[in-house]
Amino acid sequence: MTSQNRSPRFSRGDLVLGLLGALVVALVVGGVLWTRHNTSWIKKQMGGSAWSLTYEGTSASGEPRATAVRYRYNPNQFKPEHRDKQLGSTKLPWNKQVVINTGAEARMEVTPAGEGIASCSTACRWSPRASLQAPESPRCAM
């Protein structure tokens, strides 16, 4: 009897198994990278990231009253639509906390009573909702 030495070569099955394993690893790594890159875009489209704003209106001089206050907000941070709200005669100082979606425009107007001078300001605070990085800040137009 002759002894048969096994050669150190890989069989076709080993090669196919190795290639399938490499393909699975590449798909997992690619999926993780794609998800990391596109999650912000998806959340921006859905409005899942938002800013919590506090609108503030004060009287700089004259009567501490505004004839009109208008501001913009998003009623649902997961939907892109916004609403503009208008209040009639309002006592100053006045403030309101609202939610503005990522990339949306924040807007506030205060019309002072008589010859008074009113000032407007906003304070922004990001509400993360499981995102790893802060979204772009809202643009404030006053």
Side-chain angles (χ1 to χ4, degrees):
M1 281 206 199
T2 61
S3 88
Q4 295 179 344
N5 291 333
R6 290 192 164 189
S7 68
R9 292 185 294 160
F10 291 108
S11 68
R12 279 189 206 163
D14 292 337
L15 180 62
V16 169
L17 187 61
L19 288 174
L20 282 175
L23 178 65
V24 167
V25 168
L27 287 173
V28 168
V29 169
V32 167
L33 292 175
W34 180 89
T35 301
R36 218 178 134 161
H37 179 266
N38 290 303
T39 299
S40 296
W41 179 83
I42 292 168
K43 285 185 125 186
K44 184 175 180 181
Q45 298 305 311
M46 292 176 47
S49 294
W51 289 85
S52 174
L53 295 182
T54 302
Y55 291 129
E56 297 175 348
T58 57
S59 175
S61 70
E63 186 181 348
R65 183 162 279 306
T67 58
V69 174
R70 287 182 285 280
Y71 63 94
R72 179 172 290 169
Y73 69 101
N74 291 95
N76 184 338
Q77 74 180 49
F78 293 100
K79 294 183 180 175
E81 82 265 354
H82 67 271
R83 290 197 183 136
D84 291 327
K85 179 131 182 167
Q86 181 167 345
L87 306 175
S89 183
T90 307
K91 184 179 175 188
L92 298 177
W94 171 87
N95 65 50
K96 177 73 176 172
Q97 190 168 8
V98 299
V99 172
I100 298 292
N101 287 349
T102 302
E105 183 176 78
R107 187 169 214 70
M108 177 188 176
E109 295 176 30
V110 175
T111 306
E115 297 295 316
I117 297 175
S119 68
C120 305
S121 65
T122 60
C124 300
R125 184 175 56 95
W126 176 54
S127 76
R129 301 286 185 216
S131 181
L132 298 177
Q133 60 188 23
E136 69 181 85
S137 65
R139 297 177 296 279
C140 296
M142 291 186 255

